Amino acid sequence: MHRAHTAFSLALSPMAHKNFATWLLKSSSSQQMAKVTAAAAVRTYNSAAAEPFANGSTASYVEEMYNAWLRDPTSVHTSWDAYFRSNSYVSPPNLAPVQANTLPLTAFNFGGAVAGAAPDSKTIDDHLAVQAIIRSYQIRGHNIAHLDPLEINTPELPGNSSTKSIYANFSFEPSEQDMDRQFKLPSTTFIGGDEASLPLKEILNRLENVYCNKIGVEFMFINSLEQCNWIRKRFETPGVLNFSPEEKRLILARLTRATGFEAFLAKKYSSEKRFGLEGCEIMIPALKEIIDVSTELGVESVIMGMPHRGRLNTLANVCRKPLNQIFTQFAGLEAADDGSGDVKYHLGTYIERLNRVTNKNIRLAVVANPSHLEAVDPVVQGKTRAEQFYRGDQEGKKVMSILIHGDAAFCGQGVVYETMHLSDLPDYTTHGTIHVVANNQIGFTTDPRFSRSSPYCTDVARVVNAPIFHVNADDPEAVMHVCKVAAEWRATFHKDCVIDLVGYRRNGHNEIDEPMFTQPLMYQKIRKHKNCLDLYADKLIAEGTVTGEEVKSVAAKYENICEEAFALAKTETHVKYKDWLDSPWSGFFEGKDPLKVAPTGVKEETLIHIGNRFSSPPPNAAEFVIHKGLLRVLAARKAMVDEKVADWALGEAMAFGSLLKEGIHVRLSGQDVERGTFSHRHHVLHHQLVDKATYNSLQHMYPDQAPYSVSNSSLSEYAVLGFEHGYSMTNPNALVLWEAQFGDFSNTAQSIIDQFISSGQSKWVRQSGLVMLLPHGMEGMGPEHSSCRVERFLQMSSDDPDYFPPESDEFGVRQLHDINWIVANCTTPANYYHILRRQIALPFRKPLILCTPKSLLRHPEAKSPFSEMSEGSEFQRIIPDNGPAGQNASNVKKVVFCSGRVYYDLTKTRKEKQLESDIAIVRVEQISPFPFDLVKEQANLYKNAELVWAQEEHKNQGSWTYVQPRFLTALNHSRDVSQSDEQSSSTNTTTTTDHTNLESDTDSDSKSKPWLSRMFAAPNSNGGDPKDPAQTLGGDFNAAKHFDLKNVRHDFNRPAGIAAAPGARIAKTGRKISYVGRACGASTATGSKAQHIRELNALLNDAIST
Ligand SMILES: Cc1ncc(C[n+]2csc(CCOP(=O)(O)OP(=O)(O)O)c2C)c(N)n1
Ligand SMILES: [Mg+2]
């Protein structure tokens, strides 16, 4: 523990004999206190938001002081004098009703005072002092609570001096007589139960017990009196910590399982890393208690995110994942199904089962998480939000998330803060998350004093006013109480809260590590420390709740269960990744031809309808005052619709509108996306005179359309991209898009990109159709804001540069099926429209990384006729030259291949130089997977031409290093199948056999009926409606049909794990591709506009010359 310890007992020790009220007025520290109190009083009397400072004693006290000041300004401290002189204080009206928690002095029933007589000033002072002490316990009791089972930290630790000095001034030395005096309890405490007053001794005892024992509650920073009182009541009411014998036995049984599980693994797999929970085993009963109480309060589905520590134990004992499946993970078996898998303490799961305590059905999912600590947090939140959305659970009463953290990661990782800040945003809230910190007071080998600057590892939660419940992990009953309160808090206020389970780590970071190297003293203590189960069993035996025999028999029973599962695991020959899916989509893949893409063109009348709606003001236009500039935008849109052409914004709206019509939910999120960073989108029109009155035409396209959501996000990339990724994983029948403000900002979300988006399917068999919109283009805006670093995305594309897959009509879709993601840079609104629609038309889901334009948004030539979006049209992976050069190919001297907005510069220069017949310009719109077939076709068309690749990005950036080897492979005209490739196809056939086995195997497994998968059926033939509950109960889960690459792969793409071909860099045909453009550069662009223009002109001159 690393906290600012404070010896509150000092308040009772013989310190300077000064009464509290006098101190408040005169002491040197009083100025600060006075300001706080005065400010609080103002808040109360101005009836602003209820605030804990502004209640009880302080308000009455200020009133008293005000009266004194009126009589004699010199009788109060100068700070009060200045304050009252400033007229800031508003005296409460005499007849005003007494405010909640504000007691007039006359309400006190002062012990010893004669009834009806005015109390003397000492009585008043003493009462004020007692009230101040009650309040101090509430505010700072946690600082000296006994939270650390190891008791390593003492109040002597540095960091406590500031608070110590405050307490020193609170000194109130009651005499023995005072201790027996009755003091009226203010309405801000519940320690009295039914008693209105208590002897001082009892008050102090009770406070000490509530706030300084094994629970430390941080909550007084919360800006809601109601919430503060709610918490006070939950902890202060006498008897809250009394548990029935049954409850105690349940805790013991659960703790036995949690402890027994780790012990069993330690026994059977002594040399394996498992990141055991020893020292914090109470986390398992704690999670179960949270889930029990939440289920009782209406929750039906819990989505959890957690790191390595205790993950297997959670899967086994919280989710009740079959133990044999867990043990199989230790056996190092081959996988029977697709997916490269991940280590066992990263895999996800979901389970639907009966909660035996509440007798209600519950669905539990643990989201697969990467090694990158806390990266899963926003993903869990996005998934939770999506599940709430699809269930129509608008207040989060049925679906909730629990995030489990390590102490070092919780305070160290910035994404925790970013995720916390999503917690109360209307389009991102999950209506309260319970955070559980498995606080073992260490991070790998680093002590808290070297890993954080804050007193507690949980301080980040204070920014969102989340109460924080610290609890000693060696006190199971205290832990259960805290968990119950946390679950009730979430159900009552739908806000985040934190449980800080302060325990220790019995072993090293993993079981093979030696902790004595770095924490010798701590581990000497740990070695001598009894484990929590033994401590609790001893306690229950001593108090007669259980017998020693019972304790032993519960442990033996669980060991037997483990042994049986262990024996069963030994009979397994393969692991199955399907067992570790956190949200399978059955009903989506079933019965689908994995190579059939639905058409993306729509009827022209649909485009016209959407265009008209999109360009119209709200129906009540007369009352809805729109900005004049936007009226012009709408008029321009209308003119385009009349001409049947679309610009970028209109093309996008056509894609969204047509998908919404087909029942596909569309969600666009990112910074300033509602208007669009470049002021081109304007999906939300704002009434110029009425706050919060808005109109979003895409929500009103068709009466039975799917919901459209467009949300300006917080200024975060990491958390928001993670959130949208999580959202996209929940239901395949939704188009989820995240837009970066500028493409380069996506690099602050790099771990979401690397750990989830690029690799999600291969690591966790988890598909996602998420679209990342990344504004990209070298437009002289300086080193930033130019490039979305497309080269990085391309570098992570999984297609083989040296392998030309077999050609067929399905070439394009086969490639998409096999790749990890799609990278594209479209140059026309029509192609943008098609690629968005194709995300949904595909029979599987792949993330789409889309470079989007900036200046092209208004470029007069970057427009598309409706004919390119209507029925019969489709996405063009390559846009050939369709001018004079394309029509007379044999005369063409040079073909310039390019991608993105530079196309428009190239055509302009070509026109200026009158080289339209000599130079063809071909646009590669889908960069990855590389359109080998179409590049080959284009090269063949221009048989005699020189081939160049022109790009505006520097040579070491952009697409060049990705396209160059692939061009050469394409120019070879034939597949370069080496000897090793022939072998690889036979290897693949072997794998195929396994798949066949798997199919029969999983048919019998289909009884497991995954819960989430049954919620989402594929859309029906007329588009389907994912909201229709009849549809959400689709077919059974059948893993074999999920990603049945066996139908696709054969010898199509180079199978994974097979050595690549030598990588011919010179085409056998003798043709080559040359680079035209900027030299290598260290930055994405130059900061000088003049330099930028010089470089661009050089590029255009080089490219457009014969
Ligand atoms: C983002 C990130 N950085 C570094 C690591 C390496 N690492 C793995 S565990 C660990 C310590 C974690 O400490 P804590 O959060 O307290 O969890 P504990 O292991 O103590 O349960 C570190 C630094 C990581 N996994 N992720
Ligand atoms: Mg730790």
Side-chain angles (χ1 to χ4, degrees), residues 223-243:
N223 294 316
S224 156
L225 183 59
E226 184 201 357
Q227 291 172 11
C228 283
N229 274 345
W230 188 94
I231 291 171
R232 285 190 265 244
K233 192 167 182 184
R234 293 299 177 288
F235 287 98
E236 293 182 356
T237 305
V240 286
L241 277 172
N242 294 345
F243 285 75

Side-chain angles (χ1 to χ4, degrees), residues 308-309 405-409 437-444 446 505 509:
H308 50 288
R309 179 86 47 218
H405 314 267
D407 53 314
V437 183
N439 181 355
N440 51 20
Q441 310 189 67
I442 192 165
F444 212 143
T446 306
R505 192 187 68 195
H509 175 59

Side-chain angles (χ1 to χ4, degrees), residues 780-803:
M781 293 177 83
E784 270 77 52
H785 310 337
S786 300
S787 171
C788 72
R789 313 308 307 244
V790 64
E791 63 278 4
R792 294 184 179 163
F793 292 98
L794 290 170
Q795 195 222 353
M796 287 191 287
S797 279
S798 64
D799 61 343
D800 190 327
D802 305 319
Y803 185 76

Side-chain angles (χ1 to χ4, degrees), residues 485-504:
V485 174
E488 288 173 355
W489 163 270
R490 196 241 164 221
T492 308
F493 298 108
H494 288 286
K495 288 172 71 74
D496 283 23
C497 64
V498 179
I499 298 170
D500 178 19
L501 292 177
V502 187
Y504 56 93

Side-chain angles (χ1 to χ4, degrees), residues 723-1033:
F723 186 98
E724 301 311 333
H725 174 72
Y727 200 101
S728 77
M729 292 195 312
T730 307
N731 185 343
N733 298 316
L735 182 70
V736 182
L737 309 97
W738 174 78
E739 183 172 73
Q741 187 121 80
F742 285 89
D744 51 351
F745 292 125
S746 67
N747 57 19
T748 66
Q750 199 64 51
S751 19
I752 298 296
I753 296 167
D754 292 0
Q755 267 55 50
F756 289 97
I757 301 177
S758 122
S759 55
Q761 180 175 335
S762 71
K763 276 168 85 174
W764 298 310
V765 204
R766 161 52 40 241
Q767 291 194 354
S768 156
L770 179 72
V771 180
M772 288 178 66
L773 299 175
L774 304 175
H776 173 82
M778 309 277 278
E779 295 175 350
M781 293 177 83
E784 270 77 52
H785 310 337
S786 300
S787 171
C788 72
R789 313 308 307 244
V790 64
E791 63 278 4
R792 294 184 179 163
F793 292 98
L794 290 170
Q795 195 222 353
M796 287 191 287
S797 279
S798 64
D799 61 343
D800 190 327
D802 305 319
Y803 185 76
F804 195 143
E807 288 167 89
S808 72
D809 291 346
E810 294 153 340
F811 189 94
V813 66
R814 277 172 175 259
Q815 275 194 310
L816 294 174
H817 186 283
D818 259 19
I819 196 120
N820 59 328
W821 61 15
I822 304 160
V823 183
N825 190 351
C826 299
T827 56
T828 69
N831 235 14
Y832 177 45
Y833 154 94
H834 280 296
I835 203 167
L836 292 180
R837 284 186 50 79
R838 191 180 73 172
Q839 282 300 93
I840 298 299
L842 288 171
F844 43 81
R845 293 289 173 260
K846 299 286 163 167
L848 169 63
I849 312 302
L850 200 54
C851 309
T852 56
K854 295 173 286 181
S855 62
L856 284 198
L857 299 172
R858 294 184 179 77
H859 197 291
E861 283 171 45
K863 288 192 174 151
S864 299
F866 281 13
S867 59
E868 289 181 10
M869 299 191 281
S870 55
E871 278 176 314
S873 62
E874 62 179 3
F875 176 70
Q876 293 184 273
R877 287 180 287 146
I878 272 192
I879 303 185
D881 190 312
N882 43 24
Q887 283 149 19
N888 216 337
S890 52
N891 290 346
V892 167
K893 299 193 180 89
K894 187 177 193 177
V895 183
V896 180
F897 287 92
C898 65
S899 189
R901 63 164 290 286
V902 74
Y903 165 78
Y904 291 96
D905 293 335
L906 290 166
T907 47
K908 183 165 168 261
T909 309
R910 181 176 65 174
K911 190 170 182 191
E912 285 164 6
K913 292 192 173 186
Q914 297 182 348
L915 290 171
E916 281 165 309
S917 303
D918 300 284
I919 296 179
I921 304 178
V922 178
R923 285 169 272 178
V924 179
E925 303 269 305
Q926 177 181 294
I927 312 168
S928 178
F930 190 72
F932 289 101
D933 53 336
L934 301 180
V935 166
K936 172 186 153 186
E937 190 179 287
Q938 289 295 306
N940 279 352
L941 182 65
Y942 303 101
K943 277 198 169 47
N944 310 316
E946 174 197 359
L947 309 178
V948 301
W949 173 262
Q951 68 174 32
E952 56 178 355
E953 301 87 359
H954 289 92
K955 191 175 180 183
N956 55 330
Q957 299 163 34
S959 306
W960 172 240
T961 48
Y962 175 85
V963 299
Q964 185 197 22
R966 289 169 176 80
F967 259 100
L968 290 171
T969 301
L971 295 176
N972 267 334
H973 291 195
S974 65
R975 295 173 55 218
D976 179 20
V977 182
S978 65
Q979 183 59 29
S980 64
D981 289 310
E982 298 300 356
Q983 281 165 2
S984 64
S985 6
S986 67
T987 318
N988 202 29
T989 318
T990 321
T991 322
T992 306
T993 319
D994 288 349
H995 283 299
T996 318
N997 292 340
L998 172 69
E999 197 155 27
S1000 54
D1001 187 76
T1002 46
D1003 276 343
S1004 63
D1005 270 359
S1006 67
K1007 289 184 210 80
S1008 64
K1009 295 196 177 159
W1011 55 274
L1012 196 54
S1013 61
R1014 284 191 281 123
M1015 284 173 46
F1016 309 119
N1020 59 24
S1021 52
N1022 55 18
D1025 179 359
K1027 292 171 295 172
D1028 180 353
Q1031 278 203 9
T1032 59
L1033 296 167

